[in-house]
């Protein structure tokens, strides 16, 4: 099981900001970057994001350790875009279904960088945000219905358990003679069976957890909160930071002439 | 940070009274009621131990008292849940007064709601809309009462041991200040020290608050001195009343001993008689099948750090053990010592962190020396593993298919199935879905399925956990027969009587060092 | 004994157990798909490098929670809720799509939800499941191909079309059919005993 990205006991500065303001800032950056596929705005944003790492308690080593599949995914995304994007300019590769031209390569590279620039702030957000704090903020500040928010939070706690359970069920099935090796078809079948076993356990656990919660008075009328979710000056800085990053990235791309609205391209 | 001690003035709660008049409950989709015609009075502050065989409706009654029963999505048609008579807490319906009763269920994992210790304790109080200023003193007090005040308030609940989780659940209940405390097998999977910890925490809290207590537990001796009364339930047959007998512990245990033992209740000082071994066993006899040498075990796989592989931190190191034909090996030790992890490694299901598990030629018969590398089909006819949770091992939708699964894969041994069905009293269930069986039946089935492949080594993880005395005796007798027939039996267990019944050698694992989370 | 003959429809409001089980299905769906994708990487890696639009054929795995959640809970909003929660779970596990995964999850759930809403939350049979899976796949394909954060937004027209057709097929088969089969299997094990879907195993397939 891959570890969750959240860093336990993270004492970094950004860990103290309200999750909602962090979320708002990250969503803003994501949307702005998504609007254009160009390497300038993406690189500028990436540069800022890397600068912010220490504030979120992340290091490059940690990022690589936990985030390498994402980086890989971005690279593959870049590749597929460069062969699928509409061609323009000199043709670089032409092998039947694959065509890559200067234009599509530029789009591909921009796409790769943009993918990273969109994935990274989410990693940043998650690594310095405790799910409990996020739930508190969503219920108290964003006024989402508390039954749904807390029910989900409680279910999320079971995720780690499910991951262990997955491993255990795998072993238990091997002890019954269900091999996880063999032909592709056999393996797919084995995985489906194991998934089903996990699902049965998950529903059983969740039903019992729901009883526990109800027995503690959950689901009735209004409730109070032991910890208040509050905004502070830091949150103003977080929002301002998001605005500045998005603004600088756009300005840089527009002035460099690379700004390339997604829909305008085709 | 250590929790500041907010020594709040000791509070008292208004203990709750329970009255049941002809109360009955049938679960949706069931033909028979789980509880039928229950008449019961529990006065405020009384402490009651609820006994009864598996399926007698004990849990159903506790859920009803907690007001969490009967919230099914009924469409009013036939086969829906059905309530008869009345069950009242303080003269009112339990459903309308959540928070009046605090319920602790059996599985410690699902007793924890949130991921930080203090949040979890505060959860109940928050739901009862206790003002914020009043919640924190309650949290501190509850944690102190159950002996967890040394933990930091933001300690992750996932890093608690089973016993600590049970005590945390108790704290969460106490913070609601309930008048009625309902505990469903609160100590079932704890080691002996953990059992006493939980029992003592309960005793302390009751002495302090004076709340009413209803506790369900298979093992009577732990609770006998704490309770005022024992109530024995019998399964809801639809004809006879639910309460089989009741009275003060000493009287019930003295007068109805035979009746209780016949019903499978673990009364103090009673060990069901089991079939002994055919001959006196000398340690070291029997041919060597499997040996563990200087073994270090962990559930974690090696982690990848960039491109490097980092081996996991083992929970146990330096284990050396031998498994011999016709000999029992009992693995014992406190919760979290790594007993299960060791057993899984020995059984070829987990890869050793270091050291080796090697099979002798008597066992491997050409399959290679390392069980972990055997194919699944090779494994099952050599080493059979019965997991603690039977449901993990079900792979089909029918009891009969379940039993035939191994032999079909191997291409031989189907004739053995009938005998196993007979022997483990499963014949009447051949068409049932394995998941729908009762706890005891599931356990017997999981043993039978593994045995159907005729393994030479049988590894069992907590085989007697949660079983009533009758199932227990049956299982012990059956295993001793297998031993006589030359099978090696490795069992992981907290159950000293079971270890004694099988004889053989004992491998004691010491408590694992607390690894920082 | 109360054996009322009047059939009243199951309550439309969510109970605590509905919420927790729905959320867990969603998250478990995420875990399963994550494990699944480990095996599938061997498959999808080459596909992606050779003919990327075909990866749409694997997309259905992401939409299982939407259909499965609805088939089990049978309450309005279940598809949207489950799929959004699944996306949140993915965000916390680390998603290559960043926070845009939340929107994708919402949109996919909406696709399935619309189908069940058209049937006024009364039909949970195989055709309804297939349609719901296909609709979720359609919305997924549209989102990936046309939303600015979509991974196929820069592809040229015909590739987008192929991709969307793939996601629709994948949604119908992997999300629709598999979820329907799983629900029947689950109902047989008795774990659904407190849900309206507890009789799913004996319900007719087509009507
Ligand atoms: N949610 C449920 N739906 C359907 N049937 C149930 C449900 N819960 C319990 N039952 C059935 O009701 C009967 C009584 O179950 P209950 O759990 O109350 O027994 P118990 O005395 O607590 O047994 P044990 O000692 O094994 O825990 C059993 O036949 C059980 O299968
Ligand atoms: N599935 C799992 N994944 C990762 N770690 C686990 C898993 N199960 C247990 N552990 C950890 O491994 C250690 C040893 O666990 P193990 O289950 O082997 O102990 P045990 O001696 O069998 O305890 P118990 O008596 O409670 O069954 C514990 O610290 C536990 O927290
Ligand atoms: Mg019970
Ligand atoms: Mg164990």
């Amino acid at each position: 099981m891959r570890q969750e990205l959240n860093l336990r006991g993270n004492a970094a500065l950004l860990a103290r900001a309200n999750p909602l303001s962090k979320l708002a800032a990250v969503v803003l950056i994501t949307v702005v970057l998504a609007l254009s596929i160009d390497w300038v705005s993406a690189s500028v944003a990436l540069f800022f994001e890397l600068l912010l790492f220490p504030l979120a308690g992340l290091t490059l080593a940690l990022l690589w350790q936990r985030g390498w599949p994402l980086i890989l995914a971005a690279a593959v995304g870049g590749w597929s875009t460069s062969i699928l994007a509409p061609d323009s300019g000199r043709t670089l590769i032409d092998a039947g279904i694959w065509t890559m031209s200067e234009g599509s390569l530029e789009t591909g590279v921009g796409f790769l960088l943009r993918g990273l620039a969109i994935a990274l702030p989410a990693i940043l957000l998650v690594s310095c945000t405790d799910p409990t704090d996020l739930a508190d903020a969503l219920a108290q500040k964003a006024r989402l219905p508390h039954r749904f928010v807390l029910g989900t939070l409680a279910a999320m706690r079971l995720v780690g358990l499910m991951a262990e359970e997955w491993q255990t069920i795998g072993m238990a099935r091997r002890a019954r003679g269900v091999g996880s090796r063999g032909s592709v078809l056999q393996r797919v079948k084995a995985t489906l069976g194991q998934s089903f076993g996990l699902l049965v356990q998950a529903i059983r656990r969740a039903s019992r957890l729901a009883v526990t919660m109800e027995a503690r008075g959950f689901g009735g009328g209004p409730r109070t909160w032991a910890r208040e979710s509050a905004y502070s000056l830091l949150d103003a800085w977080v929002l301002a930071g998001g605005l500045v990053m998005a603004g600088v990235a756009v300005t840089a791309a527009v002035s460099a002439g690379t700004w390339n609205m997604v829909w305008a391209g085709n | 940070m250590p929790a500041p001690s907010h020594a709040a003035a000791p509070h008292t709660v208004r203990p709750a009274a329970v009255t049941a008049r002809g109360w009955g409950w049938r679960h949706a989709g069931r033909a028979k009621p789980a509880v039928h015609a229950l008449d019961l009075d529990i006065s405020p502050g009384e402490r009651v131990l609820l006994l009864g065989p598996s399926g007698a409706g004990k849990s159903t009654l506790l859920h009803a008292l907690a007001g969490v029963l009967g919230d099914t999505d009924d469409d009013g048609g036939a086969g829906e849940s059905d309530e008869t008579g009345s069950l009242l807490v303080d003269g009112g319906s339990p459903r309308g007064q959540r928070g009046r009763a605090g319920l602790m269920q059996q599985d410690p994992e699902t007793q924890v709601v949130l991921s930080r210790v203090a949040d979890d304790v505060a959860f109940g109080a928050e739901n009862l809309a206790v003002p914020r200023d009043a919640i924190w003193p309650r949290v501190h007090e509850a944690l102190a009462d159950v002996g967890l005040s040394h933990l930091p308030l933001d300690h992750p609940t996932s890093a608690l041991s089973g016993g600590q989780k049970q005590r945390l659940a108790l704290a969460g209940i106490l913070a609601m200040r309930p008048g009625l405390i309902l505990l469903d097998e609160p100590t079932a999977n704890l080691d002996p020290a953990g059992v006493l910890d939980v029992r003592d925490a309960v005793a302390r809290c009751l002495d302090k608050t004076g709340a009413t207590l209803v506790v369900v537990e298979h093992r009577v001796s732990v609770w006998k001195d704490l309770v005022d009364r024992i109530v024995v339930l019998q399964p809801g047959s639809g004809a006879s009343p639910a309460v089989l007998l009741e009275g003060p512990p000493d009287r019930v245990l003295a007068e109805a001993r035979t009746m209780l033992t016949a019903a499978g209740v673990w009364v103090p000082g009673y060990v069901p008689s089991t079939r002994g071994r055919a001959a006196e066993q000398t340690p070291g006899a029997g041919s060597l099948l499997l040996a563990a040498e200087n073994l270090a075990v962990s559930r974690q796989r090696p982690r990848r750090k960039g491109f490097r592989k980092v081996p996991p931190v083992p929970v146990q190191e330096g284990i050396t053990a031998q498994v011999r034909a016709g000999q029992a090996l009992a693995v014992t030790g406190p919760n979290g010592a790594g007993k299960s992890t060791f057993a899984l490694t020995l059984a070829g299901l987990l890869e050793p962190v270091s050291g080796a598990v090697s099979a002798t030629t008597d066992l491997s018969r050409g399959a290679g020396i390392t069980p972990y590398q055997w194919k699944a089909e090779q494994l099952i006819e050599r080493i059979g593993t019965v997991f603690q949770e039977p449901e993990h091992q079900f792979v089909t939708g029918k009891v009969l298919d379940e039993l035939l699964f191994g032999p079909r894969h191997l291409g031989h041994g189907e004739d053995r199935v009938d005998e196993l069905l007979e022997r483990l009293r499963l014949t009447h269930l051949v068409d049932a879905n394995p998941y729908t069986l009762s706890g005891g039946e599931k356990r017997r089935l999981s043993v039978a399925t593994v045995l159907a492949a005729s393994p030479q080594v049988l590894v069992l993880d907590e085989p007697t956990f949660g079983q009533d005395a009758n199932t227990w005796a049956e299982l012990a007798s059956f295993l001793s027969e297998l031993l006589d027939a030359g099978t090696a039996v490795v069992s992981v267990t907290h159950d000293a009587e079971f270890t004694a019944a099988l004889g053989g050698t004992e491998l004691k694992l010491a408590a694992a060092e607390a690894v920082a989370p | 004994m109360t054996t009322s003959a009047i059939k009243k429809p199951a309550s439309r409001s969510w109970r605590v157990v509905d919420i927790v089980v729905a959320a867990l299905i969603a998250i478990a769906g995420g875990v399963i798909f994550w494990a699944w994708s480990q095996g599938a990487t061997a498959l999808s890696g080459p596909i992606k490098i050779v003919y990327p639009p075909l990866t749409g054929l694997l997309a259905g795995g992401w939409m299982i929670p939407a259909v499965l959640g609805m088939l089990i809970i049978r309450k309005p909003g279940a598809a949207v809720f489950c799929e959004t929660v699944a996306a949140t779970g993915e965000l916390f596990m680390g998603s290559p799509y960043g926070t845009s995964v939340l929107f994708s999850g919402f949109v996919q759930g909406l696709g399935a939800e619309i189908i069940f809403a058209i049937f006024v939350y009364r039909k949970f049979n195989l055709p309804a499941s297939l349609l719901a899976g296909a609709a979720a796949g359609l919305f997924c394909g549209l989102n990936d191909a046309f939303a600015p954060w979509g991974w196929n937004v820069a592809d040229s027209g015909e590739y987008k079309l192929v991709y969307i057709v793939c996601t629709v097929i994948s949604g119908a088969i992997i999300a629709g059919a598999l979820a329907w089969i799983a629900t029947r299997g689950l109902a047989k094990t008795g774990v659904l005993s407190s849900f309206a879907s507890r009789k799913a195993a004996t319900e007719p397939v087509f009507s």
Side-chain angles (χ1 to χ4, degrees):
Chain A
M1 187 77 212
R2 200 160 78 214
Q3 279 165 294
E4 269 182 59
L5 291 163
N6 180 245
L7 305 172
R8 262 234 170 78
N10 188 345
L13 179 71
L14 281 177
R16 291 201 295 271
N18 193 294
L20 279 188
S21 60
K22 286 184 275 188
L23 183 65
V26 172
V27 168
L28 176 76
I29 293 170
T30 306
V31 170
V32 169
L33 285 179
L35 288 179
S36 159
I37 302 177
D38 70 298
W39 63 273
V40 175
S41 66
S43 313
V44 170
L46 261 176
F47 174 73
F48 276 118
E49 285 157 13
L50 291 175
L51 281 187
L52 282 175
F53 267 37
L55 292 185
L58 266 178
T59 59
L60 267 183
L62 260 176
L63 174 73
W64 174 248
Q65 191 186 328
R66 297 175 176 206
W68 63 267
L70 315 187
I71 297 169
L72 213 68
V76 176
W79 161 262
S80 59
T81 301
S82 51
I83 60 173
L84 293 188
D87 291 315
S88 62
R90 199 154 54 86
T91 302
L92 300 174
I93 302 180
D94 187 1
I97 48 170
W98 294 3
T99 51
M100 190 190 289
S101 61
E102 273 176 346
S104 70
L105 180 64
E106 194 190 327
T107 316
V109 170
F111 200 82
L112 190 160
L113 288 173
R114 188 184 74 142
L116 283 178
I118 287 178
L120 273 192
I123 295 181
L124 215 72
L125 169 74
V126 171
S127 66
C128 65
T129 302
D130 188 291
T132 312
D133 293 338
L134 177 61
D136 275 346
L138 285 175
Q140 294 178 42
K141 289 290 180 207
R143 301 262 159 209
L144 296 185
H146 74 254
R147 289 196 322 144
F148 284 84
V149 173
L150 289 175
T152 306
L153 180 67
M156 244 181 192
R157 203 193 63 81
L158 291 181
V159 175
L161 237 50
M162 310 272 318
E164 285 175 14
E165 197 113 331
W166 175 262
Q167 188 199 9
T168 308
I169 293 176
M171 289 191 287
R173 292 169 64 85
R174 172 162 146 83
R176 287 298 315 282
V178 185
S180 53
R181 308 162 201 193
S183 72
V184 172
L185 196 70
Q186 273 171 330
R187 269 187 289 172
V188 167
K189 227 177 124 185
T191 312
L192 282 179
Q194 196 169 340
S195 308
F196 184 75
L198 184 68
L199 210 54
V200 172
Q201 296 304 326
I203 294 178
R204 204 156 278 220
R205 276 251 160 83
S207 308
R208 262 187 250 141
L209 181 63
V211 169
T212 300
M213 293 173 77
E214 280 192 283
R216 299 236 196 125
F218 182 70
R223 87 195 290 275
T224 49
W225 301 86
R227 258 181 304 101
E228 190 181 4
S229 177
Y231 293 124
S232 66
L233 195 59
L234 183 58
D235 296 299
W237 280 107
V238 169
L239 281 178
L243 275 172
V244 168
M245 269 172 74
V248 173
V250 174
T251 319
V254 170
S255 48
T258 58
W259 181 260
N260 169 24
M261 281 298 267
V262 268
W263 296 295
N266 335 353
Chain B
M1 51 172 176
S5 59
H6 284 240
H11 63 270
T12 44
V13 297
R14 191 167 46 87
V18 173
T19 357
R21 291 287 170 269
W23 185 74
W25 181 270
R26 185 168 52 78
H27 285 285
R30 293 289 163 136
K32 278 195 212 154
V35 181
H36 175 72
L38 176 79
D39 287 306
L40 186 65
D41 285 288
I42 299 174
S43 43
E46 206 180 353
R47 301 166 184 185
V48 174
L49 173 61
L50 206 55
L51 295 177
S54 186
K58 307 181 292 291
S59 302
T60 306
L61 176 58
L62 290 200
H63 283 133
L65 288 172
V68 293
L69 195 59
D71 206 10
T72 45
D73 261 357
D74 289 359
D75 51 18
E80 305 306 339
S81 58
D82 183 19
E83 187 169 12
T84 50
S86 72
L87 180 72
L88 304 176
V89 172
D90 288 341
S93 159
R95 222 163 292 158
Q97 24 182 350
R98 285 204 186 136
R100 191 70 186 113
L103 169 71
M104 170 148 66
Q105 298 180 87
Q106 191 186 320
D107 176 13
E109 280 311 335
T110 51
Q111 298 315 291
V112 179
V113 179
L114 297 172
S115 53
R116 297 180 202 148
V117 165
D119 292 3
D120 190 65
V121 177
F123 183 72
E126 291 176 323
N127 292 328
L128 300 179
V130 175
R132 181 174 300 145
D133 299 338
I135 291 179
W136 288 107
R138 285 195 186 198
V139 170
H140 291 293
E141 193 187 343
L143 281 172
D145 285 346
V146 299
L148 290 179
S149 51
H150 60 286
L151 295 177
L153 289 180
D154 58 355
H155 190 74
T157 46
S158 54
L160 297 177
S161 73
Q164 285 181 322
K165 276 188 186 138
Q166 294 286 34
R167 284 187 282 156
L168 178 70
L170 190 62
I173 291 170
L174 291 176
M176 304 191 324
R177 310 247 159 115
L180 176 60
I181 296 180
L182 306 164
L183 309 177
D184 197 350
E185 309 202 29
T187 65
N189 24 14
L190 301 185
D191 57 28
V195 170
L196 295 185
D197 277 350
V198 171
R199 199 263 323 259
D200 293 344
V202 171
R204 257 198 322 271
C205 302
L206 289 177
D207 289 342
K208 191 164 152 192
T209 66
T212 312
L213 170 78
V214 181
V215 57
V216 171
E217 191 85 75
H218 280 295
R219 307 233 165 188
V220 177
S221 51
V222 178
W223 297 93
K224 170 167 82 60
D225 298 326
L226 191 82
V227 298
D228 307 319
R229 183 152 59 119
I230 289 183
V231 173
V232 183
L233 295 188
Q234 60 181 339
S237 61
S240 42
V243 177
L244 186 64
L245 74 151
E246 59 175 315
D250 292 330
R251 212 191 70 213
V252 169
L253 292 176
E255 284 176 9
R257 203 177 164 86
T258 39
M259 195 167 171
L260 289 174
T261 53
V265 176
W266 285 99
V267 295
Y270 162 69
V271 180
S273 60
T274 54
R275 174 191 181 285
R277 296 292 308 271
E280 200 52 35
Q281 301 299 315
T282 44
S287 57
L288 182 64
L289 297 177
L290 201 58
E293 243 169 281
N294 202 13
L295 195 64
V297 297
S298 166
R299 301 245 187 179
Q300 252 91 44
R301 298 203 191 116
R303 276 191 310 133
R304 210 189 299 267
K305 203 169 192 172
F307 291 110
R308 265 183 312 132
K309 266 194 174 179
V310 187
V313 182
V315 278
Q316 275 289 339
E317 295 177 277
I319 313 174
T320 298
Q322 295 189 329
V323 180
R324 291 176 177 277
Q327 291 282 331
L329 173 67
V331 184
T332 60
N335 285 122
K339 303 182 295 295
S340 304
T341 313
F342 166 68
L344 293 171
T345 313
L346 191 66
L349 298 169
L350 275 175
E351 197 171 10
V353 177
S354 67
V357 174
S358 35
T360 60
T361 45
D362 281 349
L363 181 65
S364 64
R365 286 172 300 172
I369 191 170
T370 314
Y372 182 70
Q373 283 163 359
W374 294 346
K375 289 205 188 79
E377 308 87 67
Q378 292 176 322
L379 186 67
I380 58 172
E381 53 176 348
R382 291 173 175 80
I383 306 177
T385 312
V386 180
F387 278 60
Q388 177 167 334
E389 189 70 58
E391 291 191 0
H392 283 153
Q393 285 187 288
F394 296 156
V395 293
T396 68
K398 230 168 93 176
V399 168
L400 187 62
D401 291 340
E402 201 63 39
L403 277 162
L404 286 171
F405 187 84
R408 273 188 191 146
H409 266 236
L410 294 172
H412 59 84
E414 291 190 31
D415 42 327
R416 187 141 189 247
V417 166
D418 283 334
E419 184 207 326
L420 280 170
L421 279 170
E422 191 89 6
R423 195 58 238 284
L424 289 170
R425 290 190 292 117
L426 294 166
T427 315
H428 61 293
L429 295 168
V430 284
D431 289 323
N433 186 306
Y435 286 102
T436 61
L437 304 184
S438 82
E441 289 161 350
K442 277 184 197 155
R443 168 52 75 210
R444 298 204 300 269
L445 176 62
S446 66
V447 173
T449 52
V450 167
L451 285 177
S454 321
Q456 281 164 278
V457 177
L458 187 61
V459 179
L460 304 135
D461 196 354
E462 311 275 1
T464 61
F465 154 79
Q467 303 297 315
D468 61 26
N470 293 337
T471 315
W472 186 95
E474 223 168 79
L475 211 60
S477 302
F478 187 56
L479 291 176
S480 99
E481 251 174 66
L482 287 174
L483 280 166
D484 281 347
T487 308
V489 175
V490 179
S491 47
V492 172
T493 185
H494 291 300
D495 183 345
E497 283 122 16
F498 184 73
T499 312
L502 292 189
T505 41
E506 183 173 342
L507 175 68
K508 268 206 180 88
L509 296 186
E513 287 155 37
V515 189
Chain C
M1 297 263 158
T2 49
T3 38
S4 68
I6 321 140
K7 241 179 128 81
K8 65 172 192 303
S11 158
R12 288 272 163 100
S13 65
W14 288 61
R15 302 164 299 153
V16 175
V17 64
D18 294 325
I19 297 172
V20 181
V21 168
L24 197 66
I25 287 172
I27 299 168
V31 174
I32 290 173
F33 190 77
W34 175 83
W36 173 271
S37 66
Q38 282 201 313
T41 337
L43 226 59
S44 83
I47 295 181
K48 238 182 183 156
I49 290 171
V50 177
Y51 191 65
L54 289 183
T55 48
L57 287 178
L58 296 173
W62 289 118
M63 291 161 284
I64 292 178
V67 184
L68 187 60
M70 178 61 89
L71 290 183
I72 289 175
I73 308 295
R74 303 193 170 182
K75 300 255 161 95
V80 169
F81 176 68
C82 284
E83 200 57 43
T84 312
V85 170
T88 315
E90 200 203 326
L91 181 66
F92 270 89
M93 298 289 303
S95 162
Y97 313 100
T99 40
S100 74
V101 73
L102 296 177
F103 183 81
S104 314
F106 173 79
V107 166
Q108 292 164 17
L110 196 63
E113 187 77 39
I114 288 172
I115 299 294
F116 289 112
I118 289 173
F119 289 120
V120 222
Y121 301 102
R122 279 179 202 283
K123 287 256 182 294
F124 300 97
N125 54 16
L126 183 59
S129 310
L130 290 175
L131 277 176
L138 177 66
F139 278 47
C140 165
L142 290 175
N143 176 56
D144 285 350
F146 296 105
W149 42 77
W151 271 43
N152 304 71
V153 66
D155 300 354
S156 58
E158 76 252 48
Y159 286 124
K160 285 186 178 176
L161 189 66
V162 176
Y163 179 77
I164 292 173
V165 170
C166 286
T167 56
V168 170
I169 294 174
S170 172
I173 291 174
I174 299 186
L178 215 56
W180 181 80
I181 294 171
T183 308
R184 282 171 78 97
L186 286 172
K188 280 188 202 143
T189 69
V191 287
L192 302 183
S193 65
S194 62
F195 300 97
S197 54
R198 78 177 145 274
K199 294 180 202 134
T202 52
E203 281 168 359
V205 176
F206 291 106
S207 60

